Amino acid sequence: MDQNTWSPIAKIYDPLMVGSIDTTDEEPHDHGIVRAMNSKYKPNKDVVGDPHKTIFVARLNPKTADETLHDEFSFFGEIKNLRLVRDIVTGISKCYAFVEYIDEKSAYRAQRDGNKMVIDGSEIFVDFELERNLKGWIPRRLGGGFGGNKESGQLRFGGKDRPFRPPITGNSDTRNNFTSDRSRFREESYNDKRNDKYSVSKRDKRDRSKDRSSRSREKRDRSRDRNKNKKHNHDRDRRRSRSQDK
């Protein structure tokens, strides 16, 4: 493999390639990959919005509501549209959502800094939408995607949370170059950089933490006020009742 063309992240979606830990497999190792290779999937034309301003949020807690997602992700910028995907029959959350922002900068920040946030006790996964951005994309239900687990034996590689590994073939210098490329790619793509015009400063993160604390205090204050009002109304009704009895 040419080290100049190798990348830890897939640039074009190829089922056989993403089914290989280092893109060197020549035959599919499970039936899902065969199904993806034979599928003629095309992106849904009914999907609206700008794919470059849309992020994909997965691994959500089934109890997480639309309002909670909106509160959490509005920190990164103004949200144009948010869709928490639900079962069409039961209405139960499928634990993933799509968030479209007004500008691309906000989407960039959200996919970078929102990844691995904890919402309702669940560590979430955030990336750009791939269906309309990655050529040849095949969803998981057709044997594609970048998901999977060791138990099922259907692992997929080349994604943000499971990048390709450098091929073990070739001499040591080649492997070292691959490893260096991978490290450099990760550093450029996912780490905070001082010169990145989209970077979120520590001050911004502290402000976000303060905002969360402020929202929590406001909720507690509102709850306390409601309880006081209930008690006041209850006491007033009791006094009226006693007066009428007399």
Side-chain angles (χ1 to χ4, degrees):
M1 178 178 289
D2 185 359
Q3 70 180 68
N4 294 322
T5 61
W6 181 86
S7 169
I9 303 297
K11 303 300 182 182
I12 297 177
Y13 193 90
D14 182 296
L16 181 58
M17 181 174 67
V18 301
S20 171
I21 194 171
D22 58 4
T23 72
T24 61
D25 286 13
E26 297 181 355
E27 295 183 0
H29 70 267
D30 63 53
H31 295 297
I33 295 175
V34 175
R35 188 165 69 253
M37 293 172 66
N38 294 331
S39 67
K40 303 296 181 181
Y41 180 79
K42 293 183 179 180
N44 188 345
K45 295 181 179 180
D46 295 329
V47 176
V48 297
D50 189 336
H52 300 293
K53 300 176 183 178
T54 303
I55 61 168
F56 170 68
V57 184
R59 303 171 189 168
L60 292 167
N61 188 313
K63 297 181 180 179
T64 298
D66 301 64
E67 295 77 10
T68 303
L69 279 178
H70 193 282
D71 287 344
E72 293 291 341
F73 282 94
S74 60
F75 166 76
F76 301 107
E78 185 177 354
I79 294 175
K80 183 177 181 179
N81 184 46
L82 185 150
R83 181 169 68 95
L84 176 60
V85 180
R86 299 179 180 277
D87 186 277
I88 193 172
V89 177
T90 64
I92 297 175
S93 170
K94 289 191 174 183
C95 302
Y96 67 93
F98 295 93
V99 182
E100 181 188 4
Y101 286 93
I102 295 295
D103 58 72
E104 192 170 342
K105 178 178 70 174
S106 299
Y108 179 91
R109 294 177 61 189
Q111 66 84 25
R112 186 192 63 191
D113 299 310
N115 189 41
K116 295 188 177 182
M117 285 197 312
V118 176
I119 300 178
D120 292 334
S122 295
E123 184 178 275
I124 65 172
F125 172 75
V126 184
D127 197 0
F128 279 115
E129 178 196 332
L130 295 178
E131 182 175 19
R132 293 177 291 169
N133 285 325
L134 187 61
K135 183 179 179 181
W137 171 252
I138 302 294
R140 182 67 184 171
R141 60 186 173 82
L142 296 178
F146 287 124
N149 54 65
K150 293 181 180 179
E151 289 73 17
S152 66
Q154 295 186 350
L155 293 171
R156 302 290 183 266
F157 300 88
K160 181 175 180 178
D161 63 336
R162 191 182 289 129
F164 292 124
R165 296 182 184 178
I168 60 175
T169 57
N171 57 43
S172 59
D173 291 337
T174 300
R175 290 196 298 272
N176 290 336
N177 288 334
F178 281 151
T179 303
S180 177
D181 289 342
R182 181 186 181 190
S183 299
R184 183 168 62 254
F185 181 89
R186 280 183 143 184
E187 180 179 0
E188 292 176 352
S189 299
Y190 303 128
N191 291 342
D192 291 338
K193 302 182 292 296
R194 292 181 180 179
N195 296 327
D196 186 349
K197 63 179 179 179
Y198 296 152
S199 65
V200 179
S201 67
K202 293 182 178 179
R203 183 177 181 180
D204 290 335
K205 293 182 178 180
R206 287 198 300 269
D207 290 342
R208 185 185 183 195
S209 178
K210 291 179 180 178
D211 289 341
R212 284 181 172 174
S213 299
S214 178
R215 288 200 300 267
S216 298
R217 286 196 298 270
E218 289 176 359
K219 289 181 180 179
R220 289 196 298 270
D221 291 341
R222 286 197 296 268
S223 177
R224 191 180 299 111
D225 291 340
R226 284 196 297 268
N227 291 334
K228 287 182 178 179
N229 289 335
K230 288 181 180 179
K231 183 178 180 180
H232 174 74
N233 293 335
H234 179 69
D235 293 341
R236 182 187 59 193
D237 292 339
R238 289 183 61 187
R239 287 196 298 270
R240 286 181 179 177
S241 177
R242 291 176 179 175
S243 177
Q244 291 175 358
D245 292 340
K246 290 180 179 180

